[in-house]
Amino acid sequence: MDYIMGILEAVIGLVNEMSPYLLLGFLLAGVMHAFIPDGWYAKYLSGNTMRSVVNAAVFGVPLPLCSCGVIPTAMSLRREGASKGAVVSFLIATPQTGVDSIFATYSLMGLPFAVVRPIVALFTAIIGGTFVNMGENGEIRSDGMDSSGHGHDASKECSEKKGLTFGDRCVEALKFGFVEMMEDIGKWLVVGLVVAGLITVLVPDSFFAIFKDNTLLSMLLVLCVSVPMYICATGSIPIAVALMMKGLTPGAALVMLMAGPACNVASILIINKVLGRKTLLLYLLAIISGAVGFGFVIDYLLPREWFTEWIISSHACCHDVAGWFEWTCTGLLILLLLNVVRMRLMHKSTCHCGCGHEGHCHCHGEADACGCADEACETHTYTVQGMNCNHCKANVEKAIRSVSGVETVTVDLPSGTVTVVGDDVSDDDVRNAVESIGYSVK
């Protein structure tokens, strides 16, 4: 019983510290999603140029995408003309950080970590993308032209958001930030907090003392644990804090913060399938060498007090009574998490005709039953494997809409069922469109 109470106390203390910054980060993420045009990123990432690699890294650092959501987004950018180097740069920079995780990092780990984390993500992404582009054609141009000497047509822009009013965008920002993002990372945030609580209570305070004189060994241990498993940029923060309180060096903690969110078994398999083994090796090499290299810089070249004082003082303050503002933010965060649970429990099964009905489909595949005026209306149902978040869902919908003959696409995320309504839709075209962004179709 004492262990359970200790874990709850540790988790509540972490949540009270993180909740104000998490809510602010979610809000900013929603604003970015609603007010930045859909095609704005892709038009700056084409060509095997240094500019495309740098742009991809700069664009990717603030984006609030986890490692499962960034993969289909990056594959979509590839289909729209982004170079392999730009795609790899985007894949490295985006899951390692984001506006929400930057604020959360500041709340638990202090300003130095909050500043260093996006800088490491930026430089690691640029290095990885540059090597990939050089491997593609032996050189990388510094101008705005691709390897054939042609520039990217920046006039092509997606217009899905052009018809929205300012009020519509504000509603979309709130929906994305506090509903969709909570759906995507809420589970992993809770997992991270619980794991941090378990580490705080169950791991002996002197656990990492055996690695005190061997920073490299502790980093390798962290890599072995963090690389294969899935953990989002925000969920990794409380775990890193808990490990530092047990003696892990700041440099090794940085390795977990950077390598954990950027690498997992699923992303490794998809990158190998879509971009090739050579690109995958350069991707992993850039992430691991960047994280370890900057980890050594922190441990041996920068004052350790920059990275430990905040955590020590913050840990000491965890035993103090939180103020009304922190408790209000924590309460709001809990309500948002409960809303996700409510949505899952009240989930509506997707009708085969594309309509939403409670329970089973009532249309039985008949065109006139779903209100379709065209008797030639055809319904196709597929199972797409690998979708884990709303970003995955949006990218699958976008890919299938590009197929000739498709009129409507309905994706049911929990079951992976995709319902396509249209005339003369080719199953092979749908399969190719979905597999081109890294998923499998049945």
Side-chain angles (χ1 to χ4, degrees), residues 383-394:
T383 299
V384 176
Q385 298 176 328
M387 295 189 297
N388 296 305
C389 67
N390 284 287
H391 296 289
C392 302
K393 174 183 174 181

Side-chain angles (χ1 to χ4, degrees), residues 315-326:
H315 179 73
C317 293
C318 285
H319 302 286
D320 298 338
V321 178
W324 65 268
F325 179 71
E326 288 79 8

Side-chain angles (χ1 to χ4, degrees), residues 286-302:
I287 292 172
I288 294 174
S289 61
V292 172
F294 278 96
F296 275 110
V297 169
I298 287 178
D299 279 349
Y300 292 106
L301 299 181
L302 297 178

Side-chain angles (χ1 to χ4, degrees), residues 114-401:
V115 172
V116 167
R117 193 175 186 185
I119 290 176
V120 175
L122 180 68
F123 278 94
T124 304
I126 292 174
I127 293 171
T130 300
F131 280 120
V132 169
N133 269 353
M134 291 177 65
E136 284 295 294
N137 57 4
E139 63 177 352
I140 181 167
R141 299 175 65 106
S142 59
D143 54 18
M145 301 292 185
D146 58 22
S147 58
S148 63
H150 295 88
H152 178 64
D153 182 9
S155 63
K156 184 178 180 182
E157 181 177 354
C158 183
S159 59
E160 291 182 10
K161 297 178 183 176
K162 285 186 177 179
L164 297 178
T165 65
F166 178 79
D168 293 334
R169 291 175 186 270
C170 290
V171 172
E172 179 67 19
L174 294 175
K175 178 183 176 183
F176 178 84
F178 296 120
V179 179
E180 294 185 13
M181 278 207 66
M182 195 60 65
E183 283 186 284
D184 293 342
I185 74 169
K187 177 176 70 175
W188 301 110
L189 176 61
V190 172
V191 169
L193 290 169
V194 172
V195 171
L198 290 170
I199 292 173
T200 301
V201 175
L202 301 180
V203 176
D205 291 338
S206 59
F207 179 77
F208 283 96
I210 57 176
F211 304 120
K212 185 175 181 180
D213 297 323
N214 197 330
T215 300
L216 179 61
L217 184 59
S218 62
M219 289 182 180
L220 293 176
L221 175 64
V222 169
L223 282 172
C224 290
V225 174
S226 60
V227 167
M229 73 175 183
Y230 175 85
I231 185 168
C232 69
T234 303
S236 66
I237 299 168
I239 298 177
V241 171
L243 290 175
M244 283 188 65
M245 293 305 302
K246 300 301 179 180
L248 189 70
T249 67
L254 180 74
V255 172
M256 166 164 280
L257 291 174
M258 309 315 293
C263 298
N264 61 71
V265 172
S267 62
I268 289 172
L269 293 176
I270 292 176
I271 292 171
N272 180 65
K273 175 183 176 182
V274 178
L275 298 179
R277 182 173 299 176
K278 179 180 178 181
T279 300
L280 171 63
L281 293 176
L282 291 173
Y283 167 81
L284 293 174
L285 179 63
I287 292 172
I288 294 174
S289 61
V292 172
F294 278 96
F296 275 110
V297 169
I298 287 178
D299 279 349
Y300 292 106
L301 299 181
L302 297 178
R304 178 164 296 195
E305 300 78 39
W306 287 6
F307 303 94
T308 58
E309 282 187 355
W310 182 286
I311 293 176
I312 294 173
S313 61
S314 177
H315 179 73
C317 293
C318 285
H319 302 286
D320 298 338
V321 178
W324 65 268
F325 179 71
E326 288 79 8
W327 279 111
T328 300
C329 292
T330 296
L332 181 56
L333 188 65
I334 292 173
L335 288 176
L336 292 173
L337 289 169
L338 291 176
N339 181 56
V340 172
V341 176
R342 180 192 65 82
M343 292 170 61
R344 292 295 177 91
L345 293 177
M346 299 181 64
H347 171 67
K348 293 182 178 181
S349 298
T350 303
C351 176
H352 285 191
C353 63
C355 309
H357 295 295
E358 294 286 354
H360 300 289
C361 174
H362 303 290
C363 303
H364 306 292
E366 299 177 5
D368 56 350
C370 64
C372 181
D374 186 0
E375 293 184 358
C377 174
E378 298 178 358
T379 300
H380 305 255
T381 303
Y382 309 91
T383 299
V384 176
Q385 298 176 328
M387 295 189 297
N388 296 305
C389 67
N390 284 287
H391 296 289
C392 302
K393 174 183 174 181
N395 280 284
V396 169
E397 289 177 342
K398 182 178 179 181
I400 296 178
R401 284 196 194 101

Side-chain angles (χ1 to χ4, degrees), residues 63-86:
L63 282 183
L65 286 176
C66 56
S67 58
C68 69
V70 72
I71 293 173
T73 304
M75 298 306 108
S76 296
L77 293 176
R78 176 64 175 163
R79 292 180 64 197
E80 295 177 20
S83 65
K84 271 192 177 182

Side-chain angles (χ1 to χ4, degrees), residues 102-115:
I102 291 173
F103 281 103
T105 302
Y106 172 75
S107 68
L108 285 185
M109 307 187 76
L111 182 61
F113 263 118
V115 172

